[in-house]
Amino acid sequence: MKYDHKPVEKKWQNIWEEKGVFHAETGGDKPKFYALIEFPYPSGQGLHVGHPRPYTALDVVSRKRRLNGYNVIYPIGWDAFGLPTENYAIKNHIHPEIVTRDNVKRFKKQIQSLGISFDWSREINTTDPEYYKWTQWIFIELFNHGLAYKHEAAVNWCTSCKCVLANEEVVNGVCERCQSEVVRKVKSQWMLKITEYAERLINDLDLVDYPERVKAQQKNWIGRSTGAEVDFQTTTGSKLTVYTTRPDTLFGATYMVIAPEHPFVNEFAGKITNLDEVKAYQDAAARKSDFERTELAKDKTGVRLEGVMAINPVNNKEIPIFISDYVLVSYGTGAIMAVPAHDTRDYDFAKAFDLPIIEVVAGGNIEEEAFTDCATGIMVNSGLLDGLSVEEAKIKITQWLTKNEVGHAKVNYKLRDWVFSRQRYWGEPIPIVHCEKCGYVPIPKSELPLRLPEIDSYEPTETGESPLANITEWVNTKCPCCGGDAKRETDTMPQWAGSSWYYLRYMDPHNSEALVGKEAMDYWKQVDWYNGGMEHTTLHLLYSRFWHKFLYDIGVVPTKEPYAKRTSHGMILGENGEKMSKSRGNVVNPDEIVEEYGADTMRMYEMFIGDFEKAAPWSASGIKGCRRFIERYWNLQTIMTGDTKIRPELESNFHKTIKKVGDDIENIKFNTAIAALMALINDITETGSITKEELRIFSILLNPFAPHVTEQVLEDCKLSACMITDESWPEYDEAKCKDDTVEIVVQINGKTRSRFIISSDASSDEAISAAKSDAKIAEAINGMTIIKELYVKGKLVNLVVKPN
RNA sequence: GCCGGUGUGGUGGAAUGGCAGACACAAGGGACUUAAAAUCCCUCGGUGGCAACAUCGUGCCGGUUCAAGUCCGGCCACCGGCACCA
């Protein structure tokens, strides 16, 4: 009996759509379950087989949870602002809105062919003015709370995108999107004060169920460190403050280093006797790109500021001051005390410049290298700290600094504020005007959305301004505050804006009065399970946690965290084991798979391909095994008997499989869930028949993976009219998960020597004596002394013996 | 350098400290067929053996244990993230 997937899949997709079975209702008695996948960016290339992996995974969970009696919301939308669309629009002279519309249409058709149980009635699009109205609304709130500010600073400038980038978007000194060179450029930019939330973004990781690697990566990125700020007086009469994590080594500070951009240089230019040399070094440092800076990281360079000295507060010794680009202006105070004996970088610098190295922690060999291990050393040459451990010394010196008012304990973060403006067209306009008199003023909320103006050219400008700057009639406006002449902000928001809060809009996507209505917010609360890629850990995931916390602070959302649980999928690679990409020519289009094998087979294969969290190469032959399985399942119909019970010989097998499939789905072990179903079908087929009840249960277990064919089989066999509305997830009985008899392995000294069958509730004594009476064992232990006898219930007997 | 992860057959991958290789793919052999496809059956980590079986085997070296892929210590390799962050 040949299975023709095309009419069956089409038919059930239509039925689900007509009945609206996946439309989530806000409210009701059932427990709610909010499943979320990262909404796609509708690119021009269409879907590749990597996209459906997470969609299918949470679809499996969602479908199972519906059968478990949950009120499930599983929404989807489009993260449609962004550069590829804009660049395509420029190249082909089509409006990005039209490009977006066409791409969305194609993506939607492709996704719908897979039978994912998305609630399409909640579909959103970040480029829809009714959507970005609320993105702008949040920006205005951020501004009103002092968390959005305009700041002139050196920013990352992508030479190809002609646009600034957030720190998170610069990878190895190049643009993460186009791999072009990133240079530093001083520009006035909108910034978001994510640093204000650094501590909470770390601490609240304790409130959520994320994989350890995600938590670690976020903590690492935020980069919390504890230490102290210490004031050094200088011979200019003005002080320099440094940050250190090793205040215990203060007596070993033999010089100071400040960043080339540090304002101290200009402030005391008159006192510096080698100013030309210093200026030359500053210029050279400024000209280096980020890439060059990282490349040249090894060799220490710098210039001493002649004519000025710093004074170490603990011993009043004068020490020289250098500028060097190994000290970053953006971290700490932009100045350090250098302790060459106990810091590798300072050690290298001191060797290069022939500076004194004073050991203050004994335990290493500072003739050879810096001794940086702070767990084992004992303080020396350090006055009041001598004899203490490093940890004790840190506490004592910090108290001393505080008491003498020359320093205090300090926490620092690597996290920088978020550079939020982009000099491009296809993004949300920033709803701010600049008035000579009133400064930066948000537009009234009643004027939201502030729509993107129609425009002839979306080309980025060479001057580094947004294309919007050319539309004078749009730029020139009145100040909402004083009514005088004012200019609109012409930069737009980054792609990360719309995706920082989209999960909230799904709760109430058509509300024109509020971002989310109170009823919907109180009911859905937060996302229960969010699956997404590791590549978003320090971008989208961090940004949206920040926005959510802000929305919590201003009373818009009731939870501290947006996502209760996060899981991450591995990539699907090309058949050659490389990342799938057009340029490598190894892209597999899901349309062809759905056409040839059907959506059910496609879904099964993507779930069976390997460990969900790890990357796995696509295999054209591997998918055939899943198609064979679907066909074997389909053909069970032909051997169905009228019996309405599970046969006793299969009972424990069924109970075990119900337990395993359910547990495995919840633990994202989809591959072993499917393996269990395959093993069960093998056992069923071996009997030559299947009962009605067996087929019904098996179909429900398989349904989350292969929803179309299972519906059809239930209908054909008159077992159920509709899986989703009429069936529920089967229960298992723990007591029935075990067999009456078990095979026991008999080991002698830990090596398997024989095996036998015994009743599964046999006692230890029974099992051991049965083992000893086994012919092979009896022979093997003949002439031996038994030292120890072990019985592991239902598993094995181990006899420890030695020769007489 | 720091943080996280991985290492098991020809391949993808299974194994609450308890029979290593479940479940698949590929390969080889056979049945059916005029033939092919499909399907069904058998074999499938290495070595020795006709076989029963023996023996070795989860990156490397040690350790704990009656028993280690799994736990502990020390290495090696690869992948991901961060990186002159004081």
Side-chain angles (χ1 to χ4, degrees), chain A residues 50-51 71 81 107 121 170 279 350 398 467 576 582 619 622 707 747 768:
Chain A
H51 285 100
N71 183 24
F81 274 130
F107 262 68
S121 72
V170 182
K279 289 267 186 213
T398 306
N576 54 3
K582 216 163 121 188
S619 160
Q747 298 181 332
I768 288 168

Side-chain angles (χ1 to χ4, degrees), chain A residues 193-470:
Chain A
K193 242 185 228 174
I194 191 171
T195 51
E196 190 114 311
Y197 285 76
E199 189 69 20
R200 284 163 67 188
L201 287 168
I202 289 179
N203 292 343
D204 288 355
L205 286 172
D206 291 342
L207 306 177
V208 292
D209 176 14
Y210 287 9
E212 201 42 54
R213 57 185 173 145
V214 172
K215 289 190 182 184
Q217 214 167 296
Q218 287 208 343
K219 282 182 192 167
N220 209 309
W221 182 258
I222 296 167
R224 183 182 199 271
S225 74
T226 57
E229 280 190 351
V230 185
D231 298 333
F232 281 64
Q233 277 303 329
T234 67
T235 53
T236 65
S238 179
K239 70 181 183 188
L240 267 175
T241 302
V242 304
Y243 172 70
T244 178
T245 56
R246 296 292 305 275
D248 52 296
T249 61
L250 203 40
F251 286 88
T254 52
Y255 63 102
M256 270 182 87
V257 186
I258 63 175
E261 302 89 346
H262 199 286
F264 184 85
V265 177
N266 286 336
E267 207 177 319
F268 298 100
K271 300 215 162 110
I272 298 169
T273 56
N274 60 338
L275 194 61
D276 289 349
E277 202 188 344
V278 171
K279 289 267 186 213
Y281 187 83
Q282 285 181 315
D283 289 347
R287 273 198 304 275
K288 283 184 195 167
S289 70
D290 280 20
F291 186 70
E292 286 171 313
R293 259 205 174 190
T294 33
E295 279 301 283
L296 300 169
K298 308 289 167 268
D299 300 322
K300 297 284 176 290
T301 59
V303 175
R304 182 171 168 174
L305 305 184
E306 304 284 355
V308 293
M309 294 290 270
I311 299 153
N312 189 335
V314 291
N315 54 16
N316 293 319
K317 277 190 187 154
E318 287 199 358
I319 56 176
I321 306 170
F322 289 80
I323 61 167
S324 170
D325 62 4
Y326 87 90
V327 172
L328 308 175
V329 73
S330 55
Y331 184 75
T333 61
I336 62 156
M337 63 175 206
V339 185
H342 305 289
D343 181 284
T344 312
R345 297 150 303 181
D346 297 344
Y347 191 89
D348 294 344
F349 191 89
K351 284 286 177 196
F353 286 79
D354 201 20
L355 293 158
I357 298 171
I358 299 173
E359 181 180 58
V360 289
V361 183
N365 176 10
I366 62 158
E367 298 301 318
E368 294 290 321
E369 58 178 2
F371 178 55
T372 57
D373 184 357
C374 45
T376 58
I378 297 296
M379 304 307 300
V380 292
N381 300 328
S382 294
L384 74 162
L385 303 178
D386 282 348
L388 297 179
S389 73
V390 166
E391 284 312 311
E392 290 164 342
K394 279 183 181 174
I395 295 165
K396 187 156 185 182
I397 194 69
T398 306
Q399 286 168 348
W400 185 92
L401 291 167
T402 310
K403 200 178 84 197
N404 291 280
E405 297 183 356
V406 288
H408 53 87
K410 171 78 180 173
V411 175
N412 255 320
Y413 304 92
K414 292 186 198 171
L415 186 70
R416 302 269 70 89
D417 274 345
W418 177 6
V419 179
F420 197 68
S421 12
R422 297 292 181 277
Q423 293 69 40
R424 300 294 297 226
Y425 175 75
W426 195 229
E428 300 89 345
I430 292 174
I432 299 281
V433 302
H434 183 246
C435 167
E436 290 293 338
K437 233 167 74 189
C438 312
Y440 294 106
V441 183
I443 67 170
K445 285 181 181 165
S446 59
E447 287 179 19
L448 295 179
L450 172 61
R451 288 170 183 266
L452 269 173
E454 288 301 319
I455 189 172
D456 295 327
S457 165
Y458 328 105
E459 298 271 2
T461 64
E462 288 303 324
T463 60
E465 274 190 304
S466 159
L468 293 182
N470 294 330

Side-chain angles (χ1 to χ4, degrees), chain A residues 157 162-163 185 187 189 423 460-466 491:
Chain A
W157 177 262
K162 297 194 172 63
C163 182
K185 192 162 182 168
K187 278 190 76 72
Q189 297 296 310
Q423 293 69 40
T461 64
E462 288 303 324
T463 60
E465 274 190 304
S466 159
D491 284 356

